[in-house]
Amino acid sequence: MTGDNDMTAKLDGRSALVSGSGRGIGREIALKLASEGARIVVNDLDADPAQETAELIRNMGGEAVVCAGSVTEDGFADRFIGAAVQNFGGVDIIVNNAGYTWDTVIQKMSDEQWHAIIDVHLTAPFQILRAAQPVISAAAKAEAAEGREVFRKVVNISSIAGTGGNAGQINYAAAKAGIIGLTKTMAKEWGRYKVNVNAVAFGPIRTRLTEAPATGDSTIKVEGKEIRVGLNADLLSQMETSIPLGRVGTPEEAAGAVYLFCVPESDFISGQHVICGGGFVI
């Protein structure tokens, strides 16, 4: 999967769970990790895009299984972690990527709107990591008894809305700020297990959640609700002029930032967050 020299595969044999990996950035993260030898548990709210990602990985010569469903549904976290244990024998990498936006100003935001975004971006990662703890703890103790030091990786996805705030996104910004606090805390709790816990805060990345439609509104369906997404074309253009690198990022570039925290070269980096935004900050 890594060209003519498979010896270069940095993640050979590692199991990686990537939530929200049926489309966009999540798919690119899954493909990037798979290209370096990781075996992937693919998740998406909808089974079809998840299966598409899994097929792409298999066509590359990799291994992938699908765990479809909402990360917020009861029992999902145990099912997600269980898929890695049952199919790949353990948990090595967790990327908490799933999510969407549901924006409005505070006076128009309902409790449902607030809780939906907090649940998907903050509560679900907490539940996934909680479900992973017994598996990671047992593996780390066994490795320590054998005198081996094996590093595992958690990468949580944040946003510049979380690091700097963003008008009209109080729910999303609060959740993404919370992810940074969760990351720093888990780095301290799980250091004894040799787990590196870091976060990537995305700036403007061109996906279906940001791309403005040519006409009308762009919406996504989430658990029966039609959610309006996409940035105004003029706003996106203005934003690009504020990005030092001169353009918004691609999903492949976003995946590259996550990958940096998954490889052995990052074994002594933990409790950190990096902004992947072309130099753009708010």
Side-chain angles (χ1 to χ4, degrees):
M1 291 185 297
T2 55
D4 296 330
N5 183 9
D6 284 342
M7 294 297 289
T8 62
K10 292 180 180 291
L11 303 176
D12 192 36
R14 309 285 275 171
S15 66
L17 301 98
V18 185
S19 67
S21 49
R23 305 176 176 90
I25 294 171
R27 173 174 286 185
E28 294 304 324
I29 293 169
L31 293 175
K32 179 64 177 176
L33 300 184
S35 75
E36 287 293 341
R39 300 172 295 174
I40 311 296
V41 180
V42 179
N43 159 260
D44 197 85
L45 184 63
D46 304 311
D48 287 348
Q51 291 290 356
E52 289 171 11
T53 298
E55 281 303 309
L56 288 171
I57 291 169
R58 294 178 191 127
N59 291 340
M60 294 163 54
E63 296 181 59
V65 296
V66 170
C67 181
S70 170
V71 295
T72 65
E73 71 187 24
D74 288 344
F76 173 82
D78 289 330
R79 187 161 59 87
F80 195 34
I81 297 301
V85 173
Q86 293 158 20
N87 289 279
F88 303 135
V91 174
D92 297 303
I93 298 167
I94 299 172
V95 181
N96 283 308
N97 167 78
Y100 61 98
T101 55
W102 192 1
D103 301 344
T104 194
V105 290
I106 189 169
Q107 65 270 27
K108 295 181 180 180
M109 184 168 292
S110 66
D111 286 353
E112 179 192 17
Q113 197 168 352
W114 168 267
H115 287 297
I117 297 304
I118 295 294
D119 286 350
V120 72
H121 288 285
L122 187 56
T123 305
F126 152 72
Q127 292 173 335
I128 289 167
L129 296 178
R130 183 177 61 185
Q133 190 278 339
V135 176
I136 290 174
S137 172
K141 288 174 183 176
E143 289 150 3
E146 296 167 0
R148 296 191 297 130
E149 190 175 60
V150 177
F151 287 89
R152 290 177 172 80
K153 311 287 185 175
V154 172
V155 185
N156 297 314
I157 303 306
S158 184
S159 166
I160 56 172
T163 61
N166 196 32
Q169 290 192 312
I170 191 169
N171 50 1
Y172 181 71
K176 290 308 191 183
I179 274 290
I180 293 176
L182 180 149
T183 296
K184 292 180 181 295
T185 299
M186 292 312 303
K188 292 179 177 179
E189 288 194 13
W190 282 9
R192 59 188 174 137
Y193 302 143
K194 307 301 179 187
V195 180
N196 306 117
V197 188
N198 294 292
V200 175
F202 292 136
I205 306 292
R206 196 174 294 278
T207 72
R208 70 186 182 128
L209 297 183
T210 59
E211 192 72 279
T215 58
D217 290 338
S218 178
T219 63
I220 59 171
K221 180 167 282 190
V222 179
E223 299 179 347
K225 299 185 293 288
E226 288 285 341
I227 308 294
R228 185 176 180 273
V229 297
L231 296 176
N232 175 277
D234 291 338
L235 178 61
L236 194 60
S237 178
Q238 292 171 17
M239 190 179 293
E240 285 193 305
T241 65
S242 302
I243 299 172
L245 291 185
R247 59 172 177 81
V248 299
T250 67
E252 293 84 357
E253 289 167 331
V258 173
Y259 168 75
L260 295 176
F261 281 135
C262 294
V263 293
E265 285 84 348
S266 65
D267 281 354
F268 205 63
I269 301 173
S270 199
Q272 305 302 310
H273 76 273
V274 65
I275 295 175
C276 174
F280 179 79
V281 293
I282 56 176

